[in-house]
Every structure is written in structure tokens, then in C-alpha cells.
Amino acid sequence: MMETLLTSTLIVALAEMGDKTQLLAIILATRFRKPLPIILGIFVATIANHALAALVGSEIAGLLESRAFRLAVAIGFIAMGLWTLIPDKMDDDDSGATRTRGGVFLTTLIAFFLVEMGDKTQIATIALGARYMDVGLVALGTTLGMMIANVPAVLLGQALIDRVPVTWLQRIAALLFMALGAWQLCETLGTP
């Protein structure tokens, strides 16, 4: 139980460093200068997005408990590790997501939910859901990871990004993904 929570939290917290959603948090913070509604918007968007992702992962794992599926999950973790080494940047179109008349909370909620779709942390959450088959703990852990990475980004904004070496955090996250994938590979190949 603790392994599921801690692994989910750590992997997503590290994978989020330098991710486009973290950059979105900085953009929102510097634009609106209202940290509380931004943080609440990030939390609600993340818990909704990641609960759905963990559910998808858990359901897929429950349906496909074959050795081939376990190998696919292991390879997926390794691929996520490699993907984590590629730094994200905000696309010009993504920054337009901050234009709205719905208030800071609603803007953050919608922007984060949409930008997180197909993002590496969402895909990692699907893989974690498949690995651990515990929707609640995976969603809680990945949401905590997102909050660990994004709350400082909101509160400190650009000053944080100027001082924190994002590259080494991305490398640590990549190693964790690859280690989890290797562990899953060994576990799968060791069983008939």
C-alpha cells in the first residue's frame, strides 16, 4: 500500500519537473497573481484527470492479466523514462488557454485538465494504475506528485525555474521510470 502511494508520488513529482503543465502553472501565476485559486484549480483538475487515468490503467490490467500485457507495461515504463529525458516547452497555442472570462480557478481547472491529456504524467498514471491496480492510491499519489511539483511553481514562479536545475530532476525521473520498467520486466520474465 505505501509502495503504491510513494512510487506514484515520486515518479510524477519528478516527471513533472520542467513539464509543460509546470510551465503552465508559472504562466498562470505570473498572469493572475492569485496563488490560491490556481493551486485549487490544479488540484481539482489533476485529481479528476489522474483518477480517470488510474481507472483506465487498472481496468486494462484487470482485463489483460497476460504475460504479454505485463511486458507491455514494463516496456511502457522504460519508454516513459526515455520520454522524460526530452524537455517540454509550452506551445504557442497552449498559452492561449489562459484567456477566459470564467475566473482564475475555472481557467486553471480547464487549462490543466486539457493540457494534462496525453501528457507523460497522465500516461505514467495509466501505467501505474495498470501496475498496482489501486485507483485510489495511484490517483492520490500522482496528484500529490503534481502538487509537490506545481505548488512551488505557482508560489515562486519564474524565480524557481531560473534557480532549479531541471535537467538533473528529469534524469532522476527517467531513471526511476526505467528502474520500475526493469523491475516489471524481471518480475514478468521470471514467472511463466
Side-chain angles (χ1 to χ4, degrees):
M1 187 157 91
M2 284 303 290
E3 175 188 343
T4 303
L5 181 66
L6 292 174
T7 301
S8 298
T9 301
L10 186 60
I11 283 177
V12 169
L14 291 172
E16 182 65 8
M17 296 299 172
D19 192 74
K20 66 184 171 188
T21 47
Q22 189 178 52
L23 298 175
L24 176 60
I26 293 168
I27 289 169
L28 292 168
T30 56
R31 176 173 177 172
F32 294 117
R33 301 188 193 286
K34 293 183 179 180
L36 186 58
I38 294 170
I39 291 167
L40 290 174
I42 291 169
F43 177 77
V44 173
T46 301
I47 198 73
N49 191 298
H50 286 205
L52 290 172
L55 179 63
V56 166
S58 179
E59 289 301 313
I60 289 171
L63 294 173
L64 303 170
E65 206 31 58
S66 69
R67 186 175 190 186
F69 179 73
R70 291 191 312 263
L71 285 171
V73 169
I75 292 167
F77 274 119
I78 293 168
M80 286 299 302
L82 295 172
W83 186 11
T84 301
L85 293 172
I86 302 169
D88 280 335
K89 62 179 178 170
M90 286 295 294
D91 298 326
D92 291 335
D93 293 340
D94 289 341
S95 62
T98 62
R99 287 187 222 119
T100 188
R101 298 175 204 264
V104 176
F105 172 78
L106 189 59
T107 299
T108 304
L109 175 76
I110 292 169
F112 252 79
F113 189 85
L114 293 176
V115 171
E116 187 64 14
M117 297 300 278
D119 194 58
K120 66 184 160 219
T121 51
Q122 185 193 43
I123 293 169
T125 302
I126 292 170
L128 288 161
R131 168 73 175 104
Y132 292 109
M133 297 193 339
D134 189 331
V135 174
L137 282 176
V138 168
L140 177 61
T142 58
T143 300
L144 284 172
M146 289 287 285
M147 300 311 289
I148 288 167
N150 287 306
V151 169
V154 170
L155 297 176
L156 303 174
Q158 189 62 43
L160 177 70
I161 296 304
D162 290 341
R163 292 189 174 96
V164 174
V166 173
T167 305
W168 71 267
L169 291 173
Q170 288 171 329
R171 289 178 184 155
I172 291 170
L175 287 173
L176 285 172
F177 276 121
M178 288 187 252
L180 195 55
W183 177 36
Q184 179 77 27
L185 268 177
C186 290
E187 195 173 86
T188 300
L189 294 174
T191 59

